[in-house]
């Protein structure tokens, strides 16, 4: 598809205003301006700091260990009780993979494929940040995504993160990954329905439209919202979503012993920057990420793939 046809198709898909906003903000990344509020001052944008951290780790002999840590994802299990869940969805399991940043860590796609191969799941969701570079060609990361997609079973849904360009939407859909751009779909099993919605990146692009994503929520139908960052928690709860699945924070990625994060780049309460949390009746889960950002190491914060199992009643054996 030539670029004119691509942008015409994207305009039809997301609307002229959304596309114009996205492209305007992307030009900021490309120009390395990055002067967008708090984002400018964050570690992700300080390339000199990445170099310094890498050098310090090499001098102290910790770099190789940090890189090994980054490639060993753990499997986290998160039971989710949804009172309105239909019987056919009882036990329905969603595999969440987040913050892949496939272009920064050699071997990441293969490591993730190996981690998820033995897992049983009904649906896979990808909560953004497929690449790390925020300028240049998207082809390398799309090639890695295509390889990874072949290893994932069943339907795959995704949302874009603050490192992803809108031009990635259609190529990813061609490889069988359905992007939710402030959109929703209804998942059906017998007589039961779950609404799955997703928003464009709320962090850097502020391109989320939670209300639009919630347009097809129905009374009595459980709903799951995908977003790159937990920063939309208030809007998500106000629109009536039951569950918000997100990532972006990396849980700090380089932490102190005990998993105490040194940096968190999200305008959300600290309790929402990793794993499960609740807000006004809405359940949330923030993945600490499967990949790495900035520097390809992890300390005291292992990468994860997450299995969310939906149940309509609490499991007594879990208490
Ligand atoms: Fe992110």
């Amino acid at each position: 598809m030539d670029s004119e046809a691509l942008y015409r198709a994207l305009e039809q898909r997301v609307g002229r205003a959304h596309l114009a906003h996205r492209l305007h903000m992307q030009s900021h990344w490309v120009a390395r301006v990055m002067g967008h509020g708090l984002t400018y001052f964050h570690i992700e944008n300080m390339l000199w700091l990445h170099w310094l951290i890498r050098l310090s780790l090499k001098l102290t002999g910790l770099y190789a260990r940090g890189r090994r840590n980054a490639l060993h994802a753990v499997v986290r299990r998160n039971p989710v009780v949804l009172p309105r869940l239909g019987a056919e969805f009882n036990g329905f399991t969603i595999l969440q993979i987040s913050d892949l940043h496939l272009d920064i860590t050699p071997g990441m796609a293969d490591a993730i494929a190996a981690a998820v191969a033995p897992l049983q799941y009904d649906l896979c969701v990808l909560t953004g940040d497929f690449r790390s570079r925020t300028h240049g060609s998207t082809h390398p990361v799309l090639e890695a995504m295509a390889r990874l997609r072949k290893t994932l079973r069943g339907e795959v849904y995704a949302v874009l993160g603050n490192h992803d360009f809108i031009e990635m939407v259609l190529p990813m859909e061609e490889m069988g990954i359905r992007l939710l751009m402030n959109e929703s779909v209804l998942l059906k099993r017998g007589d039961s329905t779950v609404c799955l919605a997703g928003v464009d990146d709320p962090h850097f692009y502020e391109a989320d439209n939670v209300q639009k994503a919630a347009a097809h929520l129905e009374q009595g139908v459980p709903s799951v919202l995908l977003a790159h960052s937990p920063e939309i928690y208030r809007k998500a709860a106000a629109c009536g979503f039951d569950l918000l699945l997100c990532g972006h924070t990396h849980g700090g990625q380089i932490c102190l012993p005990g998993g105490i994060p040194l940096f968190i780049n999200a305008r959300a309460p600290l309790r929402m920057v990793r794993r499960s949390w609740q807000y006004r009746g809405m359940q949330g889960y923030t993945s600490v990420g499967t990949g790495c950002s900035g520097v390809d190491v992890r300390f005291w914060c292992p990468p994860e793939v997450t299995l969310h199992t939906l149940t309509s009643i609490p499991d007594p054996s879990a208490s």
Side-chain angles (χ1 to χ4, degrees):
M1 186 184 291
D2 64 39
S3 60
E4 195 181 327
L6 173 78
Y7 289 115
R8 221 174 17 245
L10 283 170
E11 184 182 323
Q12 281 179 356
R13 174 73 176 274
V14 301
R16 185 173 292 186
H18 185 162
L19 180 61
H21 172 73
R22 252 284 181 172
L23 295 178
H24 171 73
M25 296 294 286
Q26 286 179 191
S27 70
H28 280 246
W29 270 128
V30 173
R32 315 299 294 163
V33 173
M34 296 179 280
H36 190 64
L38 292 173
T39 301
Y40 178 77
F41 299 100
H42 189 257
I43 186 173
E44 274 190 342
N45 306 324
M46 299 177 182
L47 300 181
W48 61 269
L49 188 55
H50 302 167
W51 176 83
L52 191 62
I53 292 170
R54 207 173 282 117
L55 179 66
S56 304
L57 291 171
K58 282 179 181 171
L59 290 175
T60 53
L62 292 171
Y63 187 56
R65 180 186 296 181
R67 292 187 80 188
R68 278 198 303 275
N69 293 344
L71 287 172
H72 286 88
V74 298
V75 180
R76 301 268 179 211
R77 294 177 190 276
N78 179 44
V80 180
V81 178
L82 296 175
R84 296 177 293 171
L85 193 70
E88 288 91 342
F89 276 98
N90 206 26
F92 189 82
T93 299
I94 301 172
L95 169 66
Q96 181 187 8
I97 304 173
S98 194
D99 301 272
L100 293 163
H101 299 288
L102 286 170
D103 52 343
I104 193 174
T105 311
M108 179 58 70
D110 293 336
I112 295 166
V116 303
L119 303 181
Q120 297 295 320
Y121 54 92
D122 298 293
L123 184 77
C124 177
V125 299
L126 310 170
T127 40
D129 274 3
F130 303 100
R131 71 174 186 161
S132 188
R133 292 177 69 199
T134 49
H135 58 96
S137 172
T138 57
H139 283 123
V141 81
L142 288 172
E143 280 175 17
M145 279 306 302
R147 278 205 318 279
L148 180 62
R149 174 64 185 97
K150 286 182 185 148
T151 70
L152 299 171
R153 297 186 297 277
E155 288 186 295
V156 179
Y157 290 89
V159 289
L160 295 184
N162 57 301
H163 285 246
D164 304 319
F165 277 10
I166 198 166
E167 288 88 343
M168 294 162 62
V169 169
L170 300 179
M172 285 179 67
E173 295 201 327
E174 279 169 16
M175 61 180 83
I177 300 171
R178 168 74 197 273
L179 270 293
L180 295 171
M181 301 289 290
N182 303 327
E183 298 165 319
S184 65
V185 293
L186 294 177
L187 308 175
K188 299 271 189 188
R189 278 195 159 190
D191 294 331
S192 301
T193 306
V194 169
C195 181
L196 178 70
V199 289
D200 195 0
D201 171 55
H203 178 69
F204 175 74
Y205 291 105
E206 297 177 351
D208 60 292
N209 187 334
V210 182
Q211 194 136 1
K212 188 177 171 198
H216 301 295
L217 292 194
E218 291 174 24
Q219 199 76 26
V221 173
S223 52
V224 181
L225 178 63
L226 308 180
H228 178 55
S229 160
E231 290 159 301
I232 56 160
Y233 66 97
R234 284 197 196 91
K235 288 188 259 184
C239 286
F241 283 100
D242 296 305
L243 175 64
L244 170 60
L245 301 180
C246 54
H248 173 67
T249 66
H250 291 220
Q253 187 175 313
I254 298 174
C255 294
L256 296 174
I260 300 165
L262 296 171
F263 302 98
I264 291 290
N265 185 21
R267 298 169 290 256
L270 205 53
R271 66 186 177 86
M272 294 181 184
V273 301
R274 70 159 99 190
R275 310 210 179 96
S276 60
W277 46 269
Q278 295 223 357
Y279 177 77
R280 295 195 173 175
M282 181 183 74
Q283 298 174 73
Y285 189 94
T286 307
S287 166
V288 304
T290 315
C292 289
S293 182
V295 187
D296 56 342
V297 298
R298 279 189 179 256
F299 291 100
W300 304 102
C301 184
E304 70 174 58
V305 294
T306 321
L307 292 171
H308 306 278
T309 301
L310 311 186
T311 54
S312 54
I313 49 165
D315 179 1
S317 67
S319 58

